[in-house]
Amino acid sequence: MKISDFELYRDLLLRNSGLSLTAEKSYLLDSRLTPVSRKWGYPTLEAMTLALRGIPDTALLNDVIEAMSTSDTSFFRDMTPFTTLRDVLIPHLIKDRGRNKHLRIWSAGCGTGQEAYSIAITLKQIESKLKGWKIEIIGTDISSQSIRKASSADYTQFEVQRGLPVSYLIQYFQERDDVWHLQDSIRNLVTFEQSNLIESIDDLGLFDIIFCRNVLSNFENNTRQSILGRMSEQLDENGFLILGESENMAALKTDFTPLSGCPGLYGHNTGRYRIDAAETGTKDVSAAS
Ligand SMILES: C[S@@+](CC[C@H](N)C(=O)[O-])C[C@H]1O[C@@H](n2cnc3c(N)ncnc32)[C@H](O)[C@@H]1O
């Protein structure tokens, strides 16, 4: 691919999705975009590239972004955030909230829904503690294709074999014609919507916990910083942010403080985080020194 074409895709992706395409990843353009050019009826990838030089068709641009995004995900990915949610964060929030029995959890960059449904299954496991609580779990992603799949709650054998404990597969899924369908008792706990993290997120409302794992690593530092800045406004002052295990914000100026107890766990700089270990008997999520 010509340098000028690489630069066109790099700029389009950055401007419209925040995704950062580095020169080392330029080899992905041919293999991922050739199928898009065929789908759109262009004789060659070069012909599609030419069409994108004008005012690009929004649907075509979305297909380009989807093709270039990393969408790998699995149920209960990295497990620790979900045990921390069950054993530490939810018990803490139940105690902290008093009379306001309302919990809102956001899976930002939810992909095909496995993360949001893993949160829902985790909460289902402790539903007796959450009796009388209103729970909202919202999954958002830039990819309309991923949002459609997430909403269908249908997964392949390969997808349910990745990370999902067999007991949950038996308990919450039904198999029909090689498709594993998630029961409505879990599915109805989650709503999905298409939303771009580099645009306004105000209308999603205020959350108690934000999961944004394995998403920001695809962005440049200034994009990460501005997304985290807007997320800090959408997170309750005493709420929690969970990033991917290997993602760290050390180089960024943000309103968040890392908390010990779970890799990737953060709270507001001004929040009340100290969760007494005695509260749960398991972990201490106090501000990391
Ligand atoms: C690697 S997946 C992570 C899925 C899940 N959070 C996990 O950890 O398994 C990254 C997701 O981020 C989404 N994404 C990329 N850029 C985005 C943006 N600007 N706004 C919203 N979602 C975005 C991609 O479509 C993809 O589904």
Side-chain angles (χ1 to χ4, degrees), residues 69-111:
S69 303
T70 310
S71 55
D72 189 45
T73 188
S74 58
F75 287 100
F76 293 94
R77 186 172 186 173
D78 303 328
M79 199 44 112
T80 317
F82 303 97
T83 48
T84 302
L85 176 70
R86 183 193 64 205
D87 298 339
V88 183
L89 305 186
I90 296 294
H92 172 77
L93 288 169
I94 288 174
K95 226 169 165 182
D96 195 53
R97 276 310 145 82
R99 257 166 282 160
N100 174 16
K101 297 186 164 188
H102 190 179
L103 261 187
R104 299 190 79 236
I105 303 180
W106 178 19
S107 167
C110 64

Short mmCIF file of all heavy atoms in Angstrom, two decimals, residues 69-111:
data_model
loop_
_atom_site.label_atom_id
_atom_site.label_comp_id
_atom_site.label_asym_id
_atom_site.label_seq_id
_atom_site.Cartn_x
_atom_site.Cartn_y
_atom_site.Cartn_z
N SER A 69 -10.69 -2.56 13.91
CA SER A 69 -10.71 -2.63 15.39
C SER A 69 -10.31 -4.02 15.84
O SER A 69 -10.60 -5.00 15.17
CB SER A 69 -12.10 -2.38 15.95
OG SER A 69 -12.60 -1.18 15.54
N THR A 70 -9.72 -4.07 17.02
CA THR A 70 -9.44 -5.37 17.63
C THR A 70 -10.66 -5.75 18.44
O THR A 70 -11.03 -5.03 19.37
CB THR A 70 -8.22 -5.25 18.58
OG1 THR A 70 -7.20 -4.59 17.86
CG2 THR A 70 -7.74 -6.58 19.07
N SER A 71 -11.29 -6.86 18.08
CA SER A 71 -12.56 -7.15 18.74
C SER A 71 -12.48 -8.39 19.63
O SER A 71 -13.49 -8.87 20.11
CB SER A 71 -13.65 -7.33 17.68
OG SER A 71 -13.22 -8.32 16.77
N ASP A 72 -11.25 -8.87 19.84
CA ASP A 72 -11.11 -10.11 20.62
C ASP A 72 -11.68 -9.93 22.03
O ASP A 72 -11.42 -8.94 22.70
CB ASP A 72 -9.63 -10.48 20.70
CG ASP A 72 -9.46 -11.86 21.31
OD1 ASP A 72 -10.20 -12.76 20.91
OD2 ASP A 72 -8.60 -12.01 22.20
N THR A 73 -12.46 -10.89 22.49
CA THR A 73 -13.04 -10.82 23.83
C THR A 73 -13.40 -12.22 24.29
O THR A 73 -13.32 -13.17 23.50
CB THR A 73 -14.28 -9.91 23.83
OG1 THR A 73 -14.73 -9.71 25.18
CG2 THR A 73 -15.43 -10.46 23.00
N SER A 74 -13.77 -12.38 25.53
CA SER A 74 -14.24 -13.69 26.00
C SER A 74 -15.03 -13.49 27.29
O SER A 74 -14.93 -12.43 27.93
CB SER A 74 -13.05 -14.63 26.26
OG SER A 74 -12.18 -14.07 27.20
N PHE A 75 -15.79 -14.52 27.66
CA PHE A 75 -16.50 -14.47 28.94
C PHE A 75 -15.47 -14.49 30.08
O PHE A 75 -14.43 -15.14 29.98
CB PHE A 75 -17.43 -15.70 29.08
CG PHE A 75 -18.64 -15.62 28.20
CD1 PHE A 75 -18.70 -16.30 26.99
CD2 PHE A 75 -19.73 -14.84 28.58
CE1 PHE A 75 -19.82 -16.23 26.18
CE2 PHE A 75 -20.86 -14.76 27.77
CZ PHE A 75 -20.90 -15.44 26.57
N PHE A 76 -15.75 -13.77 31.14
CA PHE A 76 -14.93 -13.74 32.36
C PHE A 76 -13.44 -13.55 32.05
O PHE A 76 -12.58 -14.18 32.67
CB PHE A 76 -15.17 -15.01 33.21
CG PHE A 76 -16.56 -15.05 33.77
CD1 PHE A 76 -17.59 -15.72 33.11
CD2 PHE A 76 -16.87 -14.37 34.94
CE1 PHE A 76 -18.88 -15.71 33.60
CE2 PHE A 76 -18.16 -14.36 35.45
CZ PHE A 76 -19.16 -15.04 34.77
N ARG A 77 -13.16 -12.68 31.09
CA ARG A 77 -11.77 -12.43 30.68
C ARG A 77 -10.95 -11.95 31.88
O ARG A 77 -11.34 -11.01 32.57
CB ARG A 77 -11.78 -11.35 29.60
CG ARG A 77 -10.44 -11.08 28.98
CD ARG A 77 -10.61 -10.14 27.81
NE ARG A 77 -9.40 -9.96 27.08
CZ ARG A 77 -9.31 -9.29 25.93
NH1 ARG A 77 -10.40 -8.75 25.40
NH2 ARG A 77 -8.17 -9.17 25.32
N ASP A 78 -9.86 -12.59 32.14
CA ASP A 78 -8.94 -12.30 33.25
C ASP A 78 -9.54 -12.55 34.64
O ASP A 78 -8.93 -12.22 35.65
CB ASP A 78 -8.39 -10.86 33.19
CG ASP A 78 -7.70 -10.58 31.87
OD1 ASP A 78 -7.11 -11.52 31.31
OD2 ASP A 78 -7.77 -9.44 31.38
N MET A 79 -10.73 -13.02 34.74
CA MET A 79 -11.46 -13.43 35.96
C MET A 79 -11.40 -12.48 37.16
O MET A 79 -12.43 -12.16 37.75
CB MET A 79 -11.00 -14.84 36.39
CG MET A 79 -11.96 -15.55 37.33
SD MET A 79 -13.70 -15.40 36.86
CE MET A 79 -14.12 -17.07 36.40
N THR A 80 -10.18 -11.99 37.56
CA THR A 80 -10.08 -11.21 38.81
C THR A 80 -11.07 -10.04 38.90
O THR A 80 -11.66 -9.83 39.96
CB THR A 80 -8.63 -10.67 39.00
OG1 THR A 80 -7.75 -11.72 38.67
CG2 THR A 80 -8.39 -10.20 40.41
N PRO A 81 -11.28 -9.25 37.83
CA PRO A 81 -12.24 -8.15 37.98
C PRO A 81 -13.64 -8.63 38.39
O PRO A 81 -14.35 -7.91 39.11
CB PRO A 81 -12.29 -7.53 36.57
CG PRO A 81 -10.99 -7.91 35.96
CD PRO A 81 -10.62 -9.24 36.52
N PHE A 82 -14.00 -9.84 37.98
CA PHE A 82 -15.34 -10.32 38.30
C PHE A 82 -15.43 -10.84 39.74
O PHE A 82 -16.45 -10.66 40.40
CB PHE A 82 -15.77 -11.40 37.28
CG PHE A 82 -15.73 -10.85 35.88
CD1 PHE A 82 -14.63 -11.08 35.06
CD2 PHE A 82 -16.75 -10.04 35.40
CE1 PHE A 82 -14.55 -10.53 33.79
CE2 PHE A 82 -16.67 -9.48 34.13
CZ PHE A 82 -15.58 -9.72 33.32
N THR A 83 -14.33 -11.46 40.23
CA THR A 83 -14.35 -11.87 41.64
C THR A 83 -14.27 -10.63 42.53
O THR A 83 -14.90 -10.57 43.58
CB THR A 83 -13.22 -12.88 41.96
OG1 THR A 83 -12.00 -12.38 41.43
CG2 THR A 83 -13.48 -14.23 41.37
N THR A 84 -13.51 -9.62 42.07
CA THR A 84 -13.43 -8.37 42.86
C THR A 84 -14.80 -7.68 42.88
O THR A 84 -15.24 -7.16 43.91
CB THR A 84 -12.38 -7.42 42.24
OG1 THR A 84 -11.13 -8.10 42.22
CG2 THR A 84 -12.23 -6.14 43.04
N LEU A 85 -15.49 -7.72 41.76
CA LEU A 85 -16.84 -7.14 41.69
C LEU A 85 -17.75 -7.83 42.70
O LEU A 85 -18.44 -7.17 43.49
CB LEU A 85 -17.38 -7.34 40.26
CG LEU A 85 -18.82 -6.89 39.99
CD1 LEU A 85 -18.90 -5.36 40.01
CD2 LEU A 85 -19.31 -7.40 38.63
N ARG A 86 -17.71 -9.16 42.69
CA ARG A 86 -18.60 -9.94 43.56
C ARG A 86 -18.23 -9.82 45.04
O ARG A 86 -19.10 -9.62 45.89
CB ARG A 86 -18.53 -11.42 43.13
CG ARG A 86 -19.46 -12.36 43.88
CD ARG A 86 -19.08 -13.80 43.62
NE ARG A 86 -17.74 -14.09 44.14
CZ ARG A 86 -16.95 -15.06 43.68
NH1 ARG A 86 -17.35 -15.83 42.69
NH2 ARG A 86 -15.75 -15.27 44.22
N ASP A 87 -16.92 -9.92 45.33
CA ASP A 87 -16.50 -10.05 46.73
C ASP A 87 -16.20 -8.72 47.40
O ASP A 87 -16.19 -8.64 48.62
CB ASP A 87 -15.22 -10.92 46.82
CG ASP A 87 -15.46 -12.33 46.32
OD1 ASP A 87 -16.64 -12.74 46.28
OD2 ASP A 87 -14.48 -13.01 45.95
N VAL A 88 -15.88 -7.70 46.60
CA VAL A 88 -15.43 -6.44 47.22
C VAL A 88 -16.31 -5.25 46.81
O VAL A 88 -16.87 -4.57 47.67
CB VAL A 88 -13.96 -6.15 46.84
CG1 VAL A 88 -13.48 -4.90 47.53
CG2 VAL A 88 -13.07 -7.33 47.19
N LEU A 89 -16.42 -5.00 45.51
CA LEU A 89 -17.07 -3.75 45.09
C LEU A 89 -18.56 -3.74 45.40
O LEU A 89 -19.07 -2.76 45.94
CB LEU A 89 -16.83 -3.52 43.58
CG LEU A 89 -15.36 -3.52 43.12
CD1 LEU A 89 -15.26 -3.14 41.66
CD2 LEU A 89 -14.51 -2.59 43.98
N ILE A 90 -19.26 -4.83 45.06
CA ILE A 90 -20.71 -4.83 45.31
C ILE A 90 -21.00 -4.79 46.82
O ILE A 90 -21.78 -3.94 47.27
CB ILE A 90 -21.39 -6.05 44.62
CG1 ILE A 90 -21.25 -5.92 43.10
CG2 ILE A 90 -22.86 -6.17 45.03
CD1 ILE A 90 -21.98 -4.77 42.44
N PRO A 91 -20.34 -5.65 47.65
CA PRO A 91 -20.59 -5.54 49.10
C PRO A 91 -20.30 -4.12 49.62
O PRO A 91 -21.03 -3.59 50.44
CB PRO A 91 -19.63 -6.55 49.72
CG PRO A 91 -19.38 -7.56 48.63
CD PRO A 91 -19.46 -6.79 47.34
N HIS A 92 -19.24 -3.49 49.08
CA HIS A 92 -18.91 -2.13 49.51
C HIS A 92 -20.02 -1.16 49.11
O HIS A 92 -20.46 -0.34 49.92
CB HIS A 92 -17.59 -1.69 48.89
CG HIS A 92 -17.28 -0.25 49.14
ND1 HIS A 92 -16.82 0.21 50.35
CD2 HIS A 92 -17.42 0.84 48.35
CE1 HIS A 92 -16.66 1.51 50.29
NE2 HIS A 92 -17.03 1.93 49.08
N LEU A 93 -20.47 -1.24 47.87
CA LEU A 93 -21.48 -0.30 47.39
C LEU A 93 -22.82 -0.52 48.12
O LEU A 93 -23.53 0.43 48.42
CB LEU A 93 -21.66 -0.41 45.87
CG LEU A 93 -20.49 0.17 45.06
CD1 LEU A 93 -20.59 -0.22 43.59
CD2 LEU A 93 -20.41 1.69 45.19
N ILE A 94 -23.13 -1.78 48.43
CA ILE A 94 -24.38 -2.07 49.16
C ILE A 94 -24.34 -1.34 50.51
O ILE A 94 -25.30 -0.70 50.93
CB ILE A 94 -24.56 -3.60 49.38
CG1 ILE A 94 -24.90 -4.28 48.07
CG2 ILE A 94 -25.62 -3.88 50.44
CD1 ILE A 94 -24.96 -5.80 48.13
N LYS A 95 -23.18 -1.39 51.15
CA LYS A 95 -23.03 -0.76 52.47
C LYS A 95 -23.01 0.77 52.35
O LYS A 95 -23.59 1.49 53.17
CB LYS A 95 -21.70 -1.21 53.07
CG LYS A 95 -21.81 -1.63 54.50
CD LYS A 95 -20.52 -2.29 54.89
CE LYS A 95 -20.44 -2.40 56.40
NZ LYS A 95 -19.20 -2.99 56.81
N ASP A 96 -22.36 1.23 51.29
CA ASP A 96 -22.13 2.66 51.11
C ASP A 96 -23.40 3.42 50.73
O ASP A 96 -23.54 4.60 51.02
CB ASP A 96 -21.09 2.82 49.98
CG ASP A 96 -20.49 4.20 49.94
OD1 ASP A 96 -19.99 4.63 51.00
OD2 ASP A 96 -20.50 4.83 48.87
N ARG A 97 -24.29 2.73 50.05
CA ARG A 97 -25.43 3.40 49.44
C ARG A 97 -26.59 3.76 50.37
O ARG A 97 -27.39 4.63 50.06
CB ARG A 97 -26.01 2.52 48.33
CG ARG A 97 -25.30 2.67 47.05
CD ARG A 97 -25.22 4.15 46.77
NE ARG A 97 -24.00 4.49 46.12
CZ ARG A 97 -23.80 4.35 44.82
NH1 ARG A 97 -24.75 3.90 44.05
NH2 ARG A 97 -22.65 4.68 44.30
N GLY A 98 -26.72 3.01 51.46
CA GLY A 98 -27.85 3.28 52.35
C GLY A 98 -29.17 3.08 51.65
O GLY A 98 -29.45 2.01 51.15
N ARG A 99 -29.95 4.17 51.56
CA ARG A 99 -31.31 4.00 51.05
C ARG A 99 -31.42 4.02 49.53
O ARG A 99 -32.41 3.60 48.98
CB ARG A 99 -32.22 5.07 51.66
CG ARG A 99 -33.07 4.47 52.77
CD ARG A 99 -33.71 5.54 53.60
NE ARG A 99 -32.74 6.11 54.54
CZ ARG A 99 -32.88 7.28 55.13
NH1 ARG A 99 -33.91 8.03 54.87
NH2 ARG A 99 -31.98 7.71 55.99
N ASN A 100 -30.40 4.51 48.86
CA ASN A 100 -30.47 4.58 47.40
C ASN A 100 -30.06 3.25 46.77
O ASN A 100 -28.91 3.01 46.46
CB ASN A 100 -29.56 5.72 46.90
CG ASN A 100 -29.47 5.75 45.39
OD1 ASN A 100 -30.30 5.14 44.71
ND2 ASN A 100 -28.47 6.42 44.88
N LYS A 101 -31.06 2.37 46.60
CA LYS A 101 -30.75 1.00 46.14
C LYS A 101 -30.75 0.93 44.61
O LYS A 101 -31.61 0.29 44.01
CB LYS A 101 -31.75 0.03 46.74
CG LYS A 101 -31.69 -0.04 48.24
CD LYS A 101 -32.60 -1.12 48.76
CE LYS A 101 -32.24 -1.43 50.22
NZ LYS A 101 -32.94 -2.58 50.72
N HIS A 102 -29.79 1.59 44.02
CA HIS A 102 -29.74 1.66 42.57
C HIS A 102 -28.27 1.53 42.14
O HIS A 102 -27.42 2.26 42.63
CB HIS A 102 -30.32 3.01 42.11
CG HIS A 102 -30.54 3.09 40.64
ND1 HIS A 102 -31.08 4.19 40.03
CD2 HIS A 102 -30.29 2.22 39.64
CE1 HIS A 102 -31.15 3.99 38.71
NE2 HIS A 102 -30.67 2.81 38.46
N LEU A 103 -28.00 0.59 41.24
CA LEU A 103 -26.62 0.37 40.78
C LEU A 103 -26.58 0.46 39.26
O LEU A 103 -27.38 -0.20 38.59
CB LEU A 103 -26.18 -1.05 41.13
CG LEU A 103 -25.34 -1.31 42.34
CD1 LEU A 103 -24.91 -2.78 42.33
CD2 LEU A 103 -24.10 -0.42 42.37
N ARG A 104 -25.65 1.23 38.75
CA ARG A 104 -25.51 1.32 37.28
C ARG A 104 -24.08 0.94 36.90
O ARG A 104 -23.11 1.52 37.41
CB ARG A 104 -25.83 2.74 36.78
CG ARG A 104 -27.25 3.17 37.10
CD ARG A 104 -27.62 4.46 36.38
NE ARG A 104 -27.96 4.23 34.99
CZ ARG A 104 -27.38 4.81 33.96
NH1 ARG A 104 -26.39 5.68 34.13
NH2 ARG A 104 -27.76 4.56 32.73
N ILE A 105 -23.96 -0.02 36.00
CA ILE A 105 -22.64 -0.51 35.59
C ILE A 105 -22.52 -0.40 34.07
O ILE A 105 -23.45 -0.76 33.34
CB ILE A 105 -22.44 -2.00 36.01
CG1 ILE A 105 -22.64 -2.12 37.53
CG2 ILE A 105 -21.05 -2.49 35.60
CD1 ILE A 105 -22.47 -3.52 38.08
N TRP A 106 -21.38 0.12 33.62
CA TRP A 106 -21.18 0.35 32.18
C TRP A 106 -20.02 -0.51 31.67
O TRP A 106 -18.92 -0.44 32.24
CB TRP A 106 -20.87 1.84 31.97
CG TRP A 106 -20.57 2.26 30.56
CD1 TRP A 106 -20.89 1.60 29.41
CD2 TRP A 106 -19.91 3.46 30.17
NE1 TRP A 106 -20.47 2.34 28.32
CE2 TRP A 106 -19.86 3.48 28.76
CE3 TRP A 106 -19.35 4.54 30.87
CZ2 TRP A 106 -19.27 4.52 28.03
CZ3 TRP A 106 -18.77 5.57 30.16
CH2 TRP A 106 -18.74 5.56 28.75
N SER A 107 -20.27 -1.28 30.64
CA SER A 107 -19.19 -1.99 29.94
C SER A 107 -18.91 -1.16 28.68
O SER A 107 -19.65 -1.23 27.70
CB SER A 107 -19.65 -3.42 29.60
OG SER A 107 -18.77 -4.04 28.69
N ALA A 108 -17.85 -0.36 28.75
CA ALA A 108 -17.53 0.58 27.66
C ALA A 108 -16.58 -0.12 26.69
O ALA A 108 -15.49 -0.54 27.09
CB ALA A 108 -16.88 1.83 28.24
N GLY A 109 -16.99 -0.24 25.41
CA GLY A 109 -16.20 -1.03 24.46
C GLY A 109 -16.47 -2.49 24.76
O GLY A 109 -15.56 -3.27 25.00
N CYS A 110 -17.77 -2.84 24.75
CA CYS A 110 -18.20 -4.18 25.24
C CYS A 110 -18.01 -5.26 24.19
O CYS A 110 -18.22 -6.44 24.47
CB CYS A 110 -19.66 -4.13 25.66
SG CYS A 110 -20.78 -3.77 24.28
N GLY A 111 -17.65 -4.88 22.96
CA GLY A 111 -17.50 -5.89 21.91
C GLY A 111 -18.80 -6.64 21.70
O GLY A 111 -19.89 -6.05 21.68
#
